[in-house]
Amino acid sequence: MEYLHTMVRVKDLDAALAFYCGGLGLVEAYRTENEKGRFTLVFLAAPGDMDKVREGKSPLVELTYNWDVEDYGGGRNFGHLAYRVDDIYGLCQHLMDKGVTINRPPRDGHMAFVRSPDGISIELLQKGDNLPPAEPWASMPNTGVW
């Protein structure tokens, strides 16, 4: 068995790409447009996974954008996406600077949670050892749900 991708339906493709690419730093691996089915699929990867993607088209996040208006509730019904990051504090600051709420701050220097514009929970895990506790993260309260 081999992990291929996680599919996430998005209401606003531009907002989703701004979050996943401009915020989290994922890169677009490829996309397909299906006029007959009236949808666009955009496949994203972590920069460090691009060699694996080129070899076997995995691991990926598939953003599915249906051209006709649909309402997708919650997002928490499937769990979350998880990414290992080089600098959890730096990425959380970058996301905050872009207006993203840090729902579960990285108080422990190890784990944080944010949500995409479509309510998808994203877990961020520090690569290697936990970073030493630092402000503003150490005293920042949880916000909302993740």
Side-chain angles (χ1 to χ4, degrees), residues 85-91 106-111 125-134 137:
V85 301
D86 290 329
D87 178 2
I88 197 164
Y89 294 148
L91 180 56
R107 289 182 293 274
D108 55 5
H110 174 70
M111 179 179 64
L125 297 168
Q126 175 62 41
K127 182 177 181 178
D129 294 335
N130 295 359
L131 298 180
W137 316 110

Side-chain angles (χ1 to χ4, degrees), residues 74-131:
R76 289 179 53 85
N77 58 338
F78 82 96
H80 63 265
L81 303 175
Y83 294 96
R84 183 173 298 125
V85 301
D86 290 329
D87 178 2
I88 197 164
Y89 294 148
L91 180 56
C92 285
Q93 185 62 57
H94 174 72
L95 289 168
M96 279 181 46
D97 292 347
K98 290 190 162 291
V100 175
T101 299
I102 308 301
N103 300 107
R104 193 278 191 195
R107 289 182 293 274
D108 55 5
H110 174 70
M111 179 179 64
F113 274 89
V114 297
R115 290 172 70 93
S116 77
D118 293 288
I120 304 302
S121 291
I122 311 290
E123 179 182 22
L124 306 172
L125 297 168
Q126 175 62 41
K127 182 177 181 178
D129 294 335
N130 295 359
L131 298 180

Side-chain angles (χ1 to χ4, degrees), residues 17-28 45-48 91 94-95 98:
L17 289 171
F19 175 80
Y20 288 101
C21 297
L24 286 177
L26 300 184
V27 294
E28 185 172 326
L91 180 56
H94 174 72
L95 289 168
K98 290 190 162 291

Side-chain angles (χ1 to χ4, degrees), residues 23-92:
L24 286 177
L26 300 184
V27 294
E28 185 172 326
Y30 61 96
R31 75 169 60 200
T32 62
E33 304 261 343
N34 186 312
E35 233 172 283
K36 184 177 180 182
R38 301 189 46 74
F39 63 86
T40 301
L41 304 179
V42 180
F43 291 87
L44 307 176
D49 287 332
M50 284 306 294
D51 287 340
K52 294 177 198 168
V53 169
R54 283 188 276 277
E55 291 170 15
K57 292 194 173 184
S58 68
L60 295 160
V61 172
E62 172 192 332
L63 302 182
T64 297
Y65 172 68
N66 291 306
W67 301 353
D68 299 318
V69 177
E70 292 185 45
D71 190 27
Y72 308 114
R76 289 179 53 85
N77 58 338
F78 82 96
H80 63 265
L81 303 175
Y83 294 96
R84 183 173 298 125
V85 301
D86 290 329
D87 178 2
I88 197 164
Y89 294 148
L91 180 56
C92 285

